[in-house]
Amino acid sequence: GGAFKESLESIRQNAPIAFASQRRLVTAEDYKAQINANYGTYLDDVISYGGADNSPPIYGRVYVGLKFKPSINEETQISVKDTIRTVLTDNLSIMSIDTVFVDPITTHLEITTTFNLDPDLTNSTKGAIESVVQSSINNYFTTNLQKFNKVFRRSNILTTIDALDEAILNSRMTVKMQSRFTPSTGVSLQYDIKFPSPIATPDDTEIVISSSRFTFNSKTCIFQNILGSNKIQIVSSDGDIEVDNAGSYASSSGTVSLTGFNPISIEGSEIKVSATPANQSTIRPLRNYILDIDTELSTSNALLDFQNTAANL
């Protein structure tokens, strides 16, 4: 908008005075502090890290991730980045250090919550309390996550749920990470889908990797890992194996690799890839990753648990 453009122009005009007394940009934290101080009106959050912390390491760079406020349009975002580089970092950074902007990468979590509920301890219905629990989980993400360097800790959310109502006796939660990508259709390509934390090792009874639906060989399909293996197969909705070896996943690096992937079409604008994390209790995103919740694939379910056994005799 016009107000943001005027603000940017003011920063440009006053740059020699504004930055003359400020210290040099030496550490990644210096970049974050100066960007927040001078451009914070445009931003929800900032992260910066040195090239040594990049994957792979690239020295001589500082990486800056900007999470813009929802009201900031693309034109203004580009202008802010240009101004940060030309007015701030080029003036204050150490010689030979390049500033590289990286976009935030959102990893959604799929949260399945189950809790024991004693109906004798509440006047609310089962469905009403399920709704309250799910709203509490969604609000927890809004308040405590959705920014850089915010760690998901399952125990903190479960503590919040247990305190919502005395009728909630205990709660438990399963967690999956979800990355999204938009494949090209009609052409076979390699895709590497990255997650911010290690993925669970292959399991003999539980699928670790699975995707949303797409059309392949004129059939509705998903891809998933073979039980007990990190190999990926494309499987139709009828259970037929369409491609036996469509790729693999690497647990430690948190990467799902697809080879020669060529769907005819996909449902929606992206394919959602779900992965069971190696540690469901704590998910610590690195660098420019941000954690959010997939509200469509997250559910809360109450199991009725009557404690007053004498009343049920």
Side-chain angles (χ1 to χ4, degrees):
F4 287 122
K5 289 182 179 178
E6 291 176 8
S7 176
L8 274 176
E9 188 58 33
S10 175
I11 290 174
R12 291 190 185 100
Q13 292 176 355
N14 296 314
I17 298 173
F19 300 130
S21 62
Q22 294 174 344
R23 59 192 177 92
R24 304 282 286 176
L25 298 176
V26 178
T27 68
E29 283 301 308
D30 294 338
Y31 283 77
K32 178 178 178 179
Q34 291 297 337
I35 290 171
N36 259 328
N38 294 284
Y39 304 92
T41 54
Y42 304 92
L43 306 170
D44 276 339
D45 200 15
V46 181
I47 191 172
S48 59
Y49 52 93
D53 296 322
N54 192 58
S55 178
I58 301 178
Y59 299 96
R61 291 181 177 180
V62 168
Y63 291 86
V64 175
L66 306 176
K67 185 173 189 270
F68 285 93
K69 294 181 183 297
S71 59
I72 307 302
N73 61 38
E74 185 176 357
E75 179 186 0
T76 304
Q77 292 182 25
I78 293 171
S79 185
V80 168
K81 290 178 181 178
D82 289 343
T83 307
I84 289 174
R85 182 181 284 112
T86 58
V87 174
L88 179 60
T89 61
D90 285 356
N91 284 313
L92 297 181
S93 64
I94 298 174
M95 292 287 289
S96 76
I97 299 295
D98 295 327
T99 302
V100 178
F101 289 103
V102 290
D103 292 328
I105 300 174
T106 299
T107 296
H108 293 83
L109 301 187
E110 300 170 14
I111 307 292
T112 302
T113 306
T114 306
F115 58 96
N116 285 44
L117 176 71
D118 188 343
D120 292 338
L121 299 179
T122 182
N123 293 322
S124 298
T125 65
K126 174 178 178 288
I129 293 186
E130 287 173 339
S131 180
V132 167
V133 168
Q134 190 59 52
S135 294
S136 176
I137 295 169
N138 296 344
N139 291 337
Y140 183 91
F141 273 79
T142 301
T143 304
N144 298 285
L145 297 164
Q146 298 182 347
K147 291 187 177 182
F148 299 114
N149 287 329
K150 296 298 183 181
V151 180
F152 170 84
R153 300 187 188 280
R154 181 169 58 181
S155 61
N156 291 349
I157 304 184
L158 292 176
T159 298
T160 300
I161 292 171
D162 291 344
L164 288 174
D165 194 304
E166 65 173 347
I168 298 175
L169 308 178
N170 60 276
S171 57
R172 49 204 175 275
M173 178 180 288
T174 60
V175 181
K176 288 189 175 183
M177 303 182 291
Q178 179 201 106
S179 287
R180 302 175 181 181
F181 77 107
T182 302
S184 298
T185 55
V187 58
S188 296
L189 294 174
Q190 165 88 24
Y191 296 93
D192 290 322
I193 301 108
K194 298 183 181 296
F195 291 86
S197 293
I199 300 171
T201 55
D203 187 271
D204 290 336
T205 59
E206 298 288 338
I207 295 292
V208 175
I209 304 294
S210 61
S211 78
S212 58
R213 293 178 294 185
F214 53 89
T215 303
F216 181 82
N217 282 351
S218 301
K219 298 180 181 180
T220 300
C221 298
I222 64 168
F223 61 77
Q224 62 185 32
N225 73 293
I226 302 172
L227 287 175
S229 171
N230 69 343
K231 189 166 74 169
I232 303 292
Q233 292 180 328
I234 294 178
V235 183
S236 74
S237 56
D238 295 328
D240 297 327
I241 297 172
E242 300 297 319
V243 179
D244 180 60
N245 190 357
S248 63
Y249 80 91
S251 300
S252 59
S253 66
T255 303
V256 176
S257 297
L258 300 178
T259 304
F261 186 56
N262 183 14
I264 297 172
S265 63
I266 64 175
E267 291 192 0
S269 59
E270 299 171 299
I271 289 182
K272 297 181 177 182
V273 185
S274 303
T276 303
N279 181 3
Q280 294 188 43
S281 298
T282 303
I283 299 176
R284 186 187 305 274
L286 299 176
R287 298 181 294 276
N288 53 319
Y289 283 91
I290 292 174
L291 298 179
D292 202 349
I293 185 171
D294 186 325
T295 55
E296 293 182 1
L297 295 181
S298 296
T299 59
S300 294
N301 181 48
L303 300 178
L304 297 185
D305 184 348
F306 294 91
Q307 296 182 99
N308 185 5
T309 56
N312 296 298
L313 293 178

